[in-house]
Amino acid sequence: MNDYQGSIGHEERLALPGEPAPSGRGRRIVVVLVVVALLALVTWAMFGRKKADPAAGAAKTEQMPSVTVVVPGRTTVDRTLSATGTLAARREMPVGVAGEGGMITRVLVEPGQWVNAGQVLATVDRSVQAQTAASLAAQVTVARSDQTIAQAELDRAQQLVDRGFISKADLQRKAATRDAAAARVQVAAATLREANARTGRLDIRAPAAGLVLTRGVEPGQIVSSGSGVLFRMAQGGQIEMRAQLAEADLASLHTGARAQVTPVGSDRVFAGEVWQVSPVIDPQTRQGIARVALRYDPALRPGGFASATIVGGAAVAPLLPDSALQSDEKGSFVYIVDKDDKVARRNIRIGQVSDAGVTVMQGLDGSERVVRAAGGFLAPGQKVKPVLQKAS
């Protein structure tokens, strides 16, 4: 008892001066209040924060960027190829001297003029050849006279042989003389025809109907078989464009493909079609030639430069706007939004680029949600709020 009272007395001495000492029941109440306060604090720490998390998530959702996405699908597009090249005659005909040559006396055509097959383009002096032909014609006349005399003598000998005035041997000699005279006529006539043919070859003629492109001879000029090309012609006036294309483009090109050709310096567009694809690739440039046939028009000048758009077939592929495409050192790519609304990178291989958009040849099947624009401000794995836009 003394110890207990001593302890009570000790606790009472801890009371502040002027205040009554707390009783045992009061101390218990204080302890209970402290425990309740601690339990309330722990409960708030455990459950109060969990209730605050959804609010934080909602705030975070409100801060997610909204991006416009498009589902491209698959579209049938014409596969077009762009090329440049030169205009030329589809069948160019160089015309030179076919005969012995000589001095040009007249030039009868000008560049840009249409001519017929065999038409004389220029004439060569033939004064010497004319005298030679006259001499040969005279020899033909002499040979025919000899043949006439030999035939007359043979006829008289046949009348006299029956009377015995001429032997049969003499008759045979006269017949042989007549045959020799006839042969000399044929030789002289053949020589005359040869001379006339040589004289005719002095005229420079068009080998076929067509358009005269160039003229490289003037009156007074001395020409021969070694003078080279005097005229250049386009057979039938047919013109073509020799378009240079890469090896990969030539592999998918076929004859009959449509083309639109625009000469340099002109805003006119001429329709044509590919009539030949080069079977040979230049090993240096890795390019080949596609020959586009064109109808004649004065605006199509051989030797000029032109650009062409060739339809090389059709392709079924996704079509995206230019704004959706991005590129870096790894190549071209787009951002897509997956099923969890997270941004993901997708590498692609682009094909034709046109006013309608960019054809994606590899990397997309058309069902993806592709970020239409502002892809440069996104990062893979970022969560966004997609806004679907109908593909045009």
Side-chain angles (χ1 to χ4, degrees), residues 116-285:
N116 298 319
Q119 182 175 334
V120 177
L121 307 180
T123 59
V124 178
D125 177 58
R126 62 191 67 196
S127 57
V128 175
Q129 289 80 0
Q131 295 300 323
T132 301
S135 175
L136 293 174
Q139 292 179 16
V140 172
T141 301
V142 171
R144 285 176 178 170
S145 298
D146 293 341
Q147 180 185 10
T148 301
I149 294 173
Q151 183 65 46
E153 290 179 354
L154 177 61
D155 293 340
R156 287 194 297 270
Q158 288 177 344
Q159 294 175 0
L160 297 174
V161 70
D162 295 336
R163 299 177 185 182
F165 295 103
I166 296 178
S167 64
K168 291 183 179 181
D170 292 335
L171 182 63
Q172 291 175 352
R173 280 193 292 270
K174 291 185 180 298
T177 301
R178 188 275 315 269
D179 293 341
R184 285 194 295 272
V185 170
Q186 294 179 358
V187 171
T191 304
L192 177 61
R193 289 193 298 271
E194 179 185 359
N196 289 334
R198 291 181 180 276
T199 302
R201 293 179 66 187
L202 294 175
D203 292 332
I204 301 171
R205 299 177 180 271
L211 179 69
V212 178
L213 300 178
T214 62
R215 161 183 164 173
V217 65
E218 297 296 335
Q221 182 176 342
I222 304 299
V223 296
S224 65
S225 57
S227 298
V229 178
L230 304 182
F231 298 92
R232 289 189 181 274
M233 293 179 54
Q235 183 178 0
Q238 297 175 347
I239 304 298
E240 70 176 7
M241 176 189 173
R242 297 174 182 175
Q244 297 183 351
L245 291 171
E247 182 179 2
D249 293 334
L250 283 178
S252 60
L253 194 61
H254 60 86
T255 58
R258 305 188 312 275
Q260 301 288 331
V261 177
T262 304
V264 169
S266 173
D267 56 357
R268 294 182 59 188
V269 178
F270 299 89
E273 67 175 23
V274 177
W275 73 274
Q276 185 184 82
V277 178
S278 175
V280 178
I281 301 296
D282 189 330
Q284 301 297 327
T285 63

Side-chain angles (χ1 to χ4, degrees), residues 323-326 333 335 371 373-379 382:
S323 59
L325 268 71
Q326 300 188 68
F333 68 94
Y335 281 130
V371 177
F377 298 96
L378 301 176
Q382 180 179 355

